[in-house]
Amino acid sequence: MSQSETSSARRSLQVALGERSYPIHIGAGLLGDAGCLAPYLAGRQVMIVTNETVAPLYLETLRRGLSSDLEVRELVLPDGEATKTLSSVERIWNALLEAGFNRRCTLIALGGGVIGDMVGFAAACYQRGVAFIQVPTTLLSQVDSSVGGKTGVNHPLGKNMIGAFWQPRAVLIDTDTLKTLPPKELSAGLAEVIKYGLIRDAEFLAWLEAEMSALRGLDPAALAWAIERSCALKAEIVAEDETEQGVRALLNLGHTFGHAIEAHQGYGSWLHGEAVGTGMMMAAELSHRLGWLAQAEVERAAAIIAAAGLPLAAPAAMGVEDFLARMRLDKKNVDQRLRLILLQALGQAVVYDETPPTLLDELLESFPRA
Ligand code: NAD
Ligand code: GLY
């Protein structure tokens, strides 16, 4: 399939995980489609969890699509990465218990990756696991966080350090929701889209280079294809390696550096996608210093990251040790060996744990700051 076959028509993909397989439905106006969610509800009790930015925009539309036979509750949390904490998740558990929700309840996550990650984690633990549905409303959550079942919260010492693998029953992507997304958030989502091209699909990367201004201009066909191709690549990787024993780690390109930036700067100061954009540049530059990427390839990576509206320089306040201290806590590390995702070519990433420490120090020392 190609972009020319993807129009405003609805598309569905499948995340193939045996009896826990689930669909990703993509289309304009899906949110208001009565009955769209019905097949994925576990029982009559439904709790929609969203935040105070998304609620006024989309809560009513989603709620209208649910049958009046259901017992529907709503929980509106504060907005922001800084709220991605265990105490916010506890608010979800409190609301479920106060409402008397049982094991056959369904949680619906309406919002970006912060809501999706927290609601998924709440669902993973509530009464040892209940159903949940992802209704992602940012580009980042539509192309990445809503798919694959990584759920959790941040810890002051590290990003996403507390969590669980817990797959949703379905992912419902209404591409119309992107019309209200601030441009900076769109750019953050584009970082994860570019990531798929860099790690696994050189042809998609070339398409993104050609279509970047259409994407930033919210061209519906371009966005639909970028979302569909990203979800297809993610679904393929998750089906192969659900719990990140191998290939799934490639999805973390730029994340080891990026998570260090997010945690050091204070959650929410840099958007996750912005930190990933700069982190991918750091990974590209290190790959060049290892003799893998040519200078022209590093420049190509820089050009597309900049064209997406993402920062190319690391925070001025971060020294070498600020990076290293956070990076040593990364979940991918094994036996205290730093494990990075690097690029052998554009479109071909590898997991690498043999970076000479001096090379990494030199990169962290000399990488541009702003
Ligand atoms: P976010 O959830 O904070 O959303 C960004 C902002 O956009 C928020 O202010 C939100 O309220 C607002 N918003 C959401 N939808 C909107 C809409 N349609 N119109 C207007 N405003 C809207 O951030 P995000 O970028 O969606 O997600 C980032 C989070 O996702 C991070 O915590 C990151 O760690 C996580 N993540 C998880 C995975 C995973 O596999 N689980 C993958 C990537 C990222
Ligand atoms: N975003 C990384 C993953 O889902 O594995």
Side-chain angles (χ1 to χ4, degrees):
M1 191 171 14
S2 67
Q3 189 221 341
S4 55
E5 293 165 65
T6 305
S7 61
S8 52
R10 297 181 177 183
R11 314 273 330 158
S12 290
L13 307 168
Q14 188 79 0
V15 183
L17 289 169
E19 60 187 20
R20 290 173 297 109
S21 297
Y22 55 92
I24 306 170
H25 298 302
I26 307 167
L30 278 186
L31 213 55
D33 212 356
C36 220
L37 290 162
Y40 312 109
L41 302 176
R44 283 191 59 257
Q45 297 178 321
V46 177
M47 184 167 292
I48 307 171
V49 184
T50 185
N51 73 25
E52 55 202 13
T53 304
V54 177
L57 296 169
Y58 302 115
L59 180 55
E60 182 51 34
T61 312
L62 181 68
R63 191 170 179 147
R64 268 204 313 268
L66 291 168
S67 155
S68 54
D69 295 347
L70 300 167
E71 183 188 344
V72 182
R73 305 290 173 114
E74 296 162 1
L75 178 64
V76 180
L77 295 172
D79 191 1
E81 184 73 39
T83 70
K84 191 173 150 183
T85 60
L86 212 47
S87 64
S88 296
V89 173
E90 202 172 359
R91 282 189 60 184
I92 304 175
W93 292 326
N94 291 344
L96 291 165
L97 285 166
E98 279 157 18
F101 272 29
N102 61 39
R103 278 189 173 161
R104 294 196 63 225
C105 69
T106 306
L107 273 61
I108 301 179
L110 172 68
V114 168
I115 284 290
D117 281 12
M118 290 197 296
V119 173
F121 185 52
C125 302
Y126 187 68
Q127 302 197 4
R128 302 201 177 88
V130 295
F132 90 110
I133 298 171
Q134 290 272 19
V135 185
T137 60
T138 61
L139 180 61
L140 187 140
S141 56
Q142 295 180 351
V143 299
D144 192 354
S145 62
S146 63
V147 176
K150 277 191 182 174
T151 73
V153 294
N154 298 327
H155 185 280
L157 291 180
K159 176 91 181 134
N160 295 334
M161 280 293 166
I162 316 296
F165 286 100
W166 191 247
Q167 300 293 341
R169 288 214 166 180
V171 181
L172 196 83
I173 300 176
D174 183 342
T175 50
D176 276 348
T177 58
L178 299 180
K179 290 178 184 165
T180 56
L181 198 65
K184 199 171 147 76
E185 298 291 350
L186 190 80
S187 292
L190 287 169
E192 303 282 11
V193 177
I194 293 168
K195 173 188 81 178
Y196 293 110
L198 287 172
I199 63 172
R200 201 140 152 128
D201 190 341
E203 197 183 321
F204 184 46
L205 187 69
W207 179 85
L208 288 170
E209 288 173 322
E211 297 297 327
M212 191 49 78
S213 55
L215 290 164
R216 292 189 72 190
L218 295 181
D219 177 83
L223 274 175
W225 175 246
I227 294 167
E228 181 175 344
R229 186 67 197 138
S230 299
C231 286
L233 286 162
K234 179 141 189 193
E236 190 181 290
I237 290 172
V238 169
E240 210 177 307
D241 176 23
E242 182 182 5
T243 57
E244 200 169 305
Q245 307 304 308
V247 69
R248 186 165 180 170
L250 300 183
L251 292 170
N252 287 306
L253 176 69
H255 285 56
T256 309
F257 298 108
H259 283 168
I261 294 174
E262 283 185 89
H264 180 270
Q265 296 297 100
Y267 297 117
S269 163
W270 274 52
L271 298 183
H272 175 71
E274 291 175 330
V276 167
T278 300
M280 291 194 297
M281 263 328 291
M282 298 179 87
E285 180 59 34
L286 186 55
S287 306
H288 171 60
R289 292 177 188 214
L290 281 162
W292 296 347
L293 283 193
Q295 183 58 33
E297 291 176 296
V298 178
E299 284 162 17
R300 213 179 133 195
I304 190 164
I305 291 168
L310 295 160
L312 292 177
M318 277 186 88
V320 173
E321 195 46 43
D322 295 324
F323 270 103
L324 288 176
R326 304 282 184 183
M327 290 168 72
R328 285 189 201 106
L329 289 174
D330 192 86
K331 292 190 288 303
K332 287 185 297 303
N333 297 341
V334 179
D335 298 336
Q336 295 177 350
R337 284 177 84 90
L338 199 60
R339 182 165 280 193
L340 294 170
I341 310 308
L342 298 175
L343 294 169
Q344 288 195 316
L346 297 184
Q348 194 189 329
V350 286
V351 180
Y352 193 65
D353 59 10
E354 287 169 33
T355 305
T358 48
L359 202 66
L360 183 61
D361 286 355
E362 282 165 23
L363 170 88
L364 295 173
E365 185 68 52
S366 63
F367 194 81
R369 303 293 202 280

